[in-house]
């Protein structure tokens, strides 16, 4: 929980995915974090890009230096079963060498990721989390659930046949996690869920885990939580920022990795929310300074 000082703005950064250049662009535009210039980094720091180690270390350094001004939320890629598959483990081994501390460094990163919070609540009204919500989630669940015990589990894979999503290290824990699946469901929702045009909730077969949720579900969560807005990331969007339910309605997406993984021509963005007293403005689209270009 953080209250943005009156007259200041908080910068919310979406997925970076190991693209250190995009992190530098954000800092060039906004300046370094400070007590009057708070930042929320909304998960998916690692995987797919070439500099996940550098991104993660920089963000951890900022957070240690300014613990009341820099907030790191966990994304779905800050989970061992995912970052072992999509590049972060390989990057650690390549940069540290397996026989010279690479495995140990990877384990330390993995343990640190498990302790990251699932969400940041700004001025008691705006919830920043990586994925989304569901029809039963509460703020109390996000605060008290044992996030260190979470792993993407077989019961959530919906029979899509995606191989290798569960890391061998996690397999011994699957029976225990399956028994607690209902309790841990809000963690999966916070990390994996996506908005959709239809009302209600549906299995997210594209991702192989998590749910799709409609505007009615987002509105219901906001009403029972006493909130005004959900600001999330998790999805690559062409302009880097998007209101999936229409401008100013319930929820916005911010994605900061431009030309994602070198395979798409998308812009990156960050979001700004200004504080007037205890009220936060709606997030403003702040595109990164370079237009989308190949590479």
């Amino acid at each position: 929980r953080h209250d943005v000082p009156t007259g200041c703005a908080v910068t919310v950064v979406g997925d970076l995915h190991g693209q250190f250049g995009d992190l530098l662009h954000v800092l060039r535009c906004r300046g370094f974090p400070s007590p009057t210039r708070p930042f929320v980094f909304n998960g998916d720091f690692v995987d797919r890009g070439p500099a996940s180690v550098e991104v993660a270390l920089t963000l951890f350094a900022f957070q240690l230096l300014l613990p009341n001004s820099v907030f790191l939320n966990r994304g779905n890629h800050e989970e061992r079963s995912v970052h072992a598959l999509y590049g972060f483990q390989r990057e650690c081994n390549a940069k540290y060498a397996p026989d010279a501390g690479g495995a140990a460094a990877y384990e330390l990163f993995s343990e640190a990721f498990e302790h990251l919070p699932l969400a940041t609540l700004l001025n008691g009204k705006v919830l920043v989390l990586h994925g989304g919500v569901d029809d039963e989630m509460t703020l109390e669940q996000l605060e008290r659930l044992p996030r260190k015990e979470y792993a993407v589990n077989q019961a959530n894979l919906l029979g899509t046949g995606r191989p290798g999503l569960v890391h061998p290290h996690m397999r011994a824990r699957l029976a225990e996690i399956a028994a607690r699946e209902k309790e841990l469901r809000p963690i999966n929702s916070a990390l994996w869920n996506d908005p959709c045009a239809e009302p209600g909730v549906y299995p997210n077969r594209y991702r192989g885990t998590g749910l799709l949720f409609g505007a009615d579900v987002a509105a219901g969560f906001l009403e029972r939580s006493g909130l005004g807005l959900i600001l999330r990331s998790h999805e690559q969007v062409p302009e880097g920022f998007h209101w999936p339910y229409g401008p100013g309605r319930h929820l916005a997406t911010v994605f900061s990795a431009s030309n994602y993984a070198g395979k798409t021509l998308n812009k990156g963005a960050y979001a700004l929310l200004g504080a007037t007293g205890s009220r936060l403005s709606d997030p403003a689209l702040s595109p990164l300074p370079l237009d989308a270009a190949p590479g």
Side-chain angles (χ1 to χ4, degrees):
R1 297 173 185 261
H2 179 66
D3 289 332
V4 181
T6 300
C8 298
V10 59
T11 303
V12 180
V13 181
D15 301 42
L16 287 166
H17 281 296
Q19 297 185 192
F20 194 62
D22 285 313
L23 174 58
L24 294 180
H25 281 319
V26 173
L27 298 175
R28 187 178 297 121
C29 292
R30 289 294 298 147
F32 289 112
S34 73
T36 58
R37 193 182 294 126
F39 277 73
V40 179
F41 293 93
N42 198 26
D44 279 14
F45 319 132
V46 303
D47 282 339
R48 294 198 168 102
S52 294
V53 168
E54 290 82 353
V55 169
L57 288 176
T58 300
L59 298 186
F60 279 134
F62 279 142
Q63 206 278 329
L64 288 170
L65 181 65
L66 295 162
N68 296 316
S69 302
V70 176
F71 305 93
L72 309 183
N73 288 342
R74 187 177 181 180
N76 62 301
H77 280 260
E78 280 74 56
E79 198 272 314
R80 185 188 300 263
S81 296
V82 179
H83 58 62
L85 186 63
Y86 288 103
F88 185 56
Q89 184 175 33
R90 291 191 299 275
E91 184 181 332
C92 285
N93 288 337
K95 290 180 176 177
Y96 291 98
D99 58 349
Y106 176 70
E107 289 301 320
L108 289 172
F109 276 119
S110 298
E111 184 174 354
F113 291 157
E114 289 178 347
H115 290 276
L116 291 175
L118 299 172
T120 299
L121 182 61
L122 299 173
N123 292 47
K125 286 297 180 182
V126 177
L127 186 69
V128 184
L129 81 172
H130 184 73
V133 299
D134 60 43
D135 49 346
E136 298 179 351
M137 180 191 290
T138 66
L139 289 178
E140 291 73 22
Q141 289 174 327
L142 294 178
E143 287 185 307
R144 67 173 173 79
L145 285 174
R147 53 187 181 268
K148 189 178 187 301
E149 298 179 16
Y150 170 79
V152 178
N153 63 76
Q154 297 280 22
N156 282 328
L157 296 186
L158 306 174
T160 60
R162 290 190 175 186
L165 187 56
V166 179
H167 190 276
H169 179 84
M170 294 295 192
R171 294 189 188 280
R173 295 167 57 186
L174 286 178
E176 174 190 352
I177 291 170
R180 303 181 65 183
E181 182 179 351
K182 180 175 176 60
E183 181 182 5
L184 296 178
R185 177 191 177 194
I187 300 179
N188 207 68
S189 293
L191 298 180
W192 286 93
N193 284 10
D194 292 310
C196 68
E198 300 299 322
V201 294
Y202 306 90
N204 191 335
R205 298 189 181 278
Y206 171 76
R207 293 192 184 275
T209 187
L211 300 169
L212 300 171
F213 62 97
D216 60 324
V217 175
F221 172 81
L222 292 172
E223 182 176 358
R224 66 177 176 269
S225 303
L227 303 178
L229 179 72
I230 301 162
L231 187 54
R232 46 92 66 176
S233 302
H234 193 43
E235 286 183 282
Q236 178 263 311
V237 288
E239 296 298 314
F241 186 87
H242 181 55
W243 292 97
Y245 302 133
R249 291 195 67 211
H250 311 319
L251 176 148
T253 298
V254 59
F255 192 88
S256 301
S258 63
N259 306 313
Y260 178 38
K263 298 179 179 179
T264 61
L265 295 180
N266 66 283
K267 294 180 180 179
Y270 56 87
L272 296 177
L273 297 96
T276 304
S278 62
R279 184 183 181 278
L280 287 175
S281 66
D282 285 340
L285 165 64
S286 297
L288 296 174
L290 295 183
D291 289 336

